[in-house]
Amino acid sequence: MAALAGRHSTREFSSAEIPAQLVSDLLWAADGVNRVQTGGRTAPSAKNWREIDIYVARGDGLHVYDSTLHGLRHVLRQDLRAATGIQDFVGAAPINLVYVADLARVDSTDPVERRFYCAADAAFIAQNVYLFCASEGLACVIRGAVNRRALAQAMQLGPHQRVIFAQTLGFPTSH
Ligand SMILES: Cc1cc2nc3c(=O)[nH]c(=O)nc-3n(C[C@H](O)[C@H](O)[C@H](O)COP(=O)(O)O)c2cc1C
């Protein structure tokens, strides 16, 4: 109840780094494995596709969350934070998550179903992040205002990958 009462969007962030353990817990809350036997995740996904990858854009480069290993895999050295959005706060906040659908894991050829389900699956993860942030005193905002094509290029994504949303995270400025 407290997390739901505190959930809100924030567009002003402190530049303070988020401690590593908090980032680790946040990623687990976002879409970590909560049922070891089946590999089930904290977020549901259509037909259990588990097609959304969480990329983590930080000052130290681009990483991707591996749910199975519960760890970050380094992807690129560049600081791509500013490229994840078109709003001023995006480049200065410590973390931007980018939700990327891997269509290679989507066994539907219906373009409408693919779009709706990928967007819904990313949104469930984003809501987990919102609630985690509310419970831990972090600030965040989900963002659809993303230049998807340019960002996909900057992230060097493959032809089967689609940028769905981004979500900015940090401490509130009052922190
Ligand atoms: C699909 C979606 C896309 C959004 N895109 C943006 C965005 O690009 N930039 C932004 O600042 N907020 C964005 N928002 C946040 C909404 O503006 C925000 O949730 C709404 O104003 C309600 O405020 P609240 O989250 O504090 O309740 C988006 C929200 C959703 C659900």
Side-chain angles (χ1 to χ4, degrees):
M1 294 293 277
L4 286 163
R7 190 219 63 82
H8 66 282
S9 297
T10 302
R11 296 177 187 82
E12 283 179 30
F13 297 88
S14 154
S15 58
E17 292 297 329
I18 305 176
Q21 185 61 53
L22 204 49
V23 175
S24 168
D25 292 349
L26 180 139
L27 290 168
W28 181 83
D31 199 26
V33 173
N34 66 358
R35 285 152 290 160
V36 176
Q37 304 297 335
T38 60
R41 306 283 185 81
T42 58
S45 65
K47 306 185 191 183
N48 204 18
W49 285 337
R50 300 176 188 166
E51 81 283 16
I52 304 296
D53 287 317
I54 305 176
Y55 282 78
V56 180
R58 299 196 298 214
D60 68 349
L62 182 70
H63 313 264
V64 65
Y65 178 57
D66 184 324
S67 294
T68 310
L69 298 177
H70 182 56
L72 281 183
R73 195 157 39 78
H74 177 75
V75 178
L76 290 174
R77 237 183 248 282
Q78 290 103 303
D79 177 358
L80 295 180
R81 287 175 295 172
T84 69
I86 57 176
Q87 292 164 283
D88 287 347
F89 57 81
V90 171
I95 292 184
N96 285 279
L97 302 179
V98 183
Y99 301 120
V100 174
D102 185 348
L103 298 180
R105 287 177 230 150
V106 169
D107 66 359
S108 166
T109 50
D110 175 351
V112 175
E113 185 173 86
R114 281 156 70 116
R115 273 186 188 208
F116 272 122
Y117 286 5
C118 289
D121 292 346
F124 281 109
I125 296 172
Q127 180 71 349
N128 282 350
V129 169
Y130 261 113
L131 294 176
F132 180 88
C133 287
S135 76
E136 294 290 338
L138 289 168
C140 72
V141 62
I142 181 76
R143 293 185 291 101
V146 176
N147 185 336
R148 290 179 174 78
R149 197 164 292 185
L151 179 56
Q153 204 166 15
M155 292 172 70
Q156 299 181 19
L157 297 181
H160 53 96
Q161 291 179 292
R162 297 283 183 279
V163 172
I164 309 293
F165 296 121
Q167 192 165 20
T168 307
L169 312 174
F171 285 105
T173 44
S174 56
H175 176 65

